[in-house]
Amino acid sequence: MGRDVPALVFTREDRRRYRIKMQQCLDVLAQMLREDRFESERPRVGLEIELNLVDGEAEPAMRNSEVLEAIADPAWSTELGRFNLEINVPPRRLTEGGPDAWESEIRAALNHAEERATTADAHLIMVGILPTLRQEDVGEGALSENARYRMLNDQVFAARGEDLRIEMDGVDRLRTYADTITPEAACTSTQFHLQVSPDEFARYWNAAQAIAGVQVALAANSPFLFGKELWHETRIPLFEQATDTRPQEIKAQGVRPRVWFGERWITSVFDLFEENLRYFPALLPLCDEQDPAQTLDEGDIPELGELTLHNGTIYRWNRPVYAVAHDQPHVRVENRCLPAGPTVADTLANGAFYYGLTRALVEEERPVWSRMSFQAAEDNLHAAARFGIDAPLYWPGMGEVPVPELVLRRLLPLAHRGLEQSGMDATWREPLLGVIEQRCVTARNGAVWQKEMFHHISAADHTDRHEALRRMTRQYIDYMHLNAPVHTWPVD
């Protein structure tokens, strides 16, 4: 979905042509899979981090255009809201460069961007939902200037025919409506990419789905929205509701949502792209000039532009990606369920756990998805989002157990094994997975720290709610720059 699009009005003819082109793309993808046309010899991992912009008082700063201009680096781009940015960290081999190379590269990029952002009176913060964000901050004027966001907004509401309903119950209760999709911009995430061979894709996607709830429980970092204390990872239900193209009557008919966990374990990457075409009407029916079948027949690699654009408007928590890099096509799993932050150290620990655990689960003789219902995996995700690291989650052979027990007894050893199978020695993996271990031992993650710090400030100084959130956010930024894992952050 990260491409620029022109501002225009779509006709029935546009939609008919787009449907035909998507089917052509799907047919060509099937042919490429049959003929084994994909790069699989040098698998890589990648990382995207979405960030919020704040001013000196930790309030939202609507300045992403000015900050991007100051950063002047193509790795950075806008996101939906004017208070968002995204960095696309260059892909690499998992064990490339030594233990500290990836962390040093990411920290250098973020520190440079922070330095440049200050020239536009803004600062960067990695957090799932900006705690100081108010509902009036996400009106129509907060949409980024790129025409694709305006067009996406218009198409979502044309499909709905009515305002968005946003409702959640946590410590507090939220009931509100939105007349734009800009509340989605409150959701800032970390996205891990994993390139795999097409033959292995289904196993890796199934494994990623099976552990999504565990990931969210360990890394929850979004307990506040519009001044209310809600779920530990409020970003999950907010994203599901803020991009929903279905009015109530269509929901009642069983039409799938565009923010979607899915409904079954798969046997091929083709299954997911086929579901996209079967279940979801096009939001942005933009056709390009390339004939994918002719391009393939001529010995070149098709971009499959319509298929990839459509895929970018369907927000699976684990999304399939088709891409062409260095004249070679590849497929990868894009893991999208985690919030941003709190620190680079936490982010890389989350990545190590994800990459190691999926590898180990894929290598198991009797895979977890053959012993666990798909519905149980989805239920785990929502339980984890609601209750965070205290959530009880289901796991085959253990039943329903607290997250720390599940991770320490069963999943952390598997993550170590998977990283070892990937060529990562103990001196490298133990500090990374040690962060995950200590989160479990202390039962502390970003959401726990935010909630405790907010209540500490409120009780100590008897300040109003927004002021307590603002002061908590300023303290969060200070600790974020120290890069100490969040389980070590004090509350004082």
Side-chain angles (χ1 to χ4, degrees):
M1 182 47 215
R3 71 175 69 174
D4 292 344
V5 299
L8 46 79
V9 175
F10 297 119
T11 65
R12 291 192 297 272
E13 174 65 14
D14 291 329
R15 296 186 180 280
R16 185 185 68 82
R17 288 182 60 238
Y18 194 77
R19 186 183 297 276
I20 292 171
K21 283 292 297 283
M22 280 201 296
Q23 184 61 59
Q24 291 172 346
C25 287
L26 193 64
D27 293 342
V28 168
L29 176 66
Q31 180 181 344
M32 293 173 70
L33 290 169
R34 288 194 304 271
E35 297 174 357
D36 194 21
R37 299 281 190 114
F38 290 83
E39 165 67 33
S40 57
E41 294 302 314
R42 292 177 54 83
R44 294 173 176 264
V45 298
L47 173 64
E48 297 173 71
I49 304 173
E50 298 169 351
L51 302 101
N52 287 279
L53 292 173
V54 295
D55 61 20
E57 299 301 315
E59 302 284 1
M62 306 292 176
R63 301 188 189 121
N64 64 359
S65 295
E66 298 95 319
V67 172
L68 272 183
E69 184 177 353
I71 295 173
D73 184 337
W76 291 83
S77 60
T78 58
E79 264 296 321
L80 178 66
R82 292 176 59 208
F83 54 93
N84 301 141
L85 286 180
E86 179 180 87
I87 181 172
N88 214 318
V89 179
R92 63 194 293 119
R93 301 294 295 272
L94 181 60
T95 56
E96 180 181 328
D100 302 322
W102 212 16
E103 179 172 352
S104 297
E105 178 184 345
I106 296 166
R107 291 194 69 191
L110 293 176
N111 289 338
H112 170 73
E114 168 66 17
E115 180 183 344
R116 300 306 303 154
T118 59
T119 66
D121 297 320
H123 303 275
L124 304 178
I125 174 173
M126 293 192 300
V127 65
I129 295 176
L130 180 62
T132 55
L133 194 71
R134 307 179 201 240
Q135 187 163 358
E136 53 265 34
D137 294 321
V138 293
E140 186 174 355
L143 276 175
S144 286
E145 295 174 5
N146 192 302
R148 77 175 184 263
Y149 300 122
R150 174 71 56 188
M151 188 176 299
L152 183 65
N153 180 77
D154 292 346
Q155 293 302 306
V156 167
F157 279 90
R160 280 189 62 83
E162 62 187 50
D163 288 350
L164 290 162
R165 174 72 166 165
I166 298 173
E167 53 183 330
M168 274 163 265
D169 291 318
V171 175
D172 300 318
R173 188 184 208 198
L174 177 65
R175 299 285 187 274
T176 190
Y177 287 91
D179 59 4
T180 74
I181 62 170
T182 322
E184 179 197 331
C187 306
T188 42
S189 65
T190 299
Q191 296 156 25
F192 292 111
H193 290 253
L194 177 59
Q195 180 186 335
V196 297
S197 72
D199 289 343
E200 292 184 310
F201 182 94
R203 294 174 67 85
Y204 273 97
W205 187 85
N206 288 344
Q209 291 286 95
I211 68 169
V214 181
Q215 286 183 276
V216 168
L218 288 171
N221 195 32
S222 313
F224 296 99
L225 174 64
F226 302 155
K228 295 183 180 293
E229 185 177 351
L230 300 166
W231 291 20
H232 282 240
E233 191 49 41
T234 302
R235 189 182 55 89
I236 297 289
L238 175 60
F239 197 59
E240 290 174 341
Q241 296 176 41
T243 52
D244 199 341
T245 58
R246 308 166 303 162
Q248 290 296 330
E249 297 82 1
I250 298 300
K251 287 184 188 180
Q253 294 173 32
V255 172
R256 281 83 173 173
R258 292 192 93 94
V259 178
W260 198 32
F261 188 77
E263 60 190 12
R264 60 181 175 128
W265 307 117
I266 64 169
T267 59
S268 167
V269 63
F270 184 82
D271 295 348
L272 301 179
F273 286 109
E274 186 181 39
E275 284 180 351
N276 289 355
L277 183 57
R278 182 187 305 143
Y279 295 145
F280 300 100
L283 285 182
L284 300 172
L286 293 159
C287 292
D288 60 30
E289 297 302 316
Q290 188 182 75
D291 182 324
Q294 180 180 338
T295 299
L296 190 64
D297 289 344
E298 292 173 351
D300 293 327
I301 303 301
E303 296 289 340
L304 305 186
E306 292 79 13
L307 179 141
T308 58
L309 177 60
H310 187 53
N311 186 52
T313 66
I314 298 159
Y315 306 98
R316 299 176 186 268
W317 295 114
N318 285 290
R319 178 190 273 167
V321 176
Y322 167 91
V324 181
H326 309 295
D327 298 320
Q328 291 287 330
H330 68 263
V331 291
R332 59 184 190 263
V333 179
E334 181 186 15
N335 178 248
R336 301 165 46 84
C337 60
L338 290 187
T343 66
V344 174
D346 287 300
T347 299
L348 293 183
N350 294 337
F353 182 75
Y354 168 70
Y355 291 128
L357 184 54
T358 52
R359 171 69 183 264
L361 292 176
V362 162
E363 299 288 341
E364 284 191 319
E365 185 174 341
R366 188 182 176 201
V368 64
W369 54 92
S370 70
R371 298 176 283 127
M372 179 183 192
S373 74
F374 196 85
Q375 185 62 54
E378 183 174 8
D379 290 345
N380 277 353
L381 175 67
H382 288 97
R386 182 182 288 272
F387 301 112
I389 204 164
D390 294 325
L393 301 185
Y394 172 79
W395 196 258
M398 297 183 74
E400 196 170 88
V401 292
V403 170
E405 180 183 350
L406 170 61
V407 173
L408 293 173
R409 285 181 51 197
R410 182 67 60 88
L411 302 186
L412 205 54
L414 288 175
H416 273 284
R417 183 194 307 169
L419 291 180
E420 186 177 19
Q421 291 169 332
S422 300
M424 187 179 291
D425 64 33
T427 58
W428 187 343
R429 66 177 185 268
E430 285 177 0
L432 290 168
L433 294 181
V435 172
I436 303 298
E437 179 182 21
Q438 287 305 306
R439 275 195 223 150
C440 293
V441 169
T442 61
R444 299 183 63 75
N445 57 18
V448 171
W449 183 87
Q450 286 190 52
K451 289 158 74 76
E452 289 185 359
M453 192 67 184
F454 165 74
H455 288 292
H456 173 76
I457 293 170
S458 298
D461 298 336
H462 305 288
T463 188
D464 69 64
R465 177 171 287 232
H466 187 80
E467 176 61 15
L469 289 170
R470 190 188 67 79
R471 289 170 56 184
M472 180 268 285
T473 304
R474 292 186 69 177
Q475 186 66 71
Y476 180 107
I477 294 171
D478 289 342
Y479 289 149
M480 179 190 75
H481 285 299
L482 294 176
N483 199 38
V486 71
H487 70 266
T488 68
W489 292 8
V491 176
D492 53 29

